[in-house]
Amino acid sequence: MRMGISALARSLCFSFMSYIVVLFVILVIDTFSYKDFVFARAAAISAVYLGALVVLFTFMVVVFKVKRKAA
């Protein structure tokens, strides 16, 4: 039996993957600008970025579900 993924979940998944690529680019730029990889700084940048992403995606899911019920 094939399980279908909703269009909203698929869209959010691809969006999340693209934001992760942006995080990778930010970490690469940070590493090359300081000419050294500092795990604590990379972890702090990742934590702030992913925290903001979780808040953004939670907000988007709530808005999309409200709009879906209204339609």
Side-chain angles (χ1 to χ4, degrees), residues 29-65:
I29 290 170
D30 180 64
T31 300
F32 282 117
S33 69
Y34 283 99
K35 296 181 177 73
D36 188 25
F37 180 77
V38 179
F39 180 76
R41 187 173 49 235
I45 291 170
S46 297
V48 169
Y49 187 86
L50 290 175
L53 223 80
V54 166
V55 170
L56 173 70
F57 272 76
T58 303
F59 178 73
M60 287 186 339
V61 166
V62 168
V63 167
F64 290 147
K65 286 194 178 205

Side-chain angles (χ1 to χ4, degrees), residues 5-10 60-71:
I5 299 175
S6 72
L8 175 62
R10 192 175 325 122
M60 287 186 339
V61 166
V62 168
V63 167
F64 290 147
K65 286 194 178 205
V66 167
K67 284 190 163 223
R68 179 183 252 177
K69 286 191 181 214

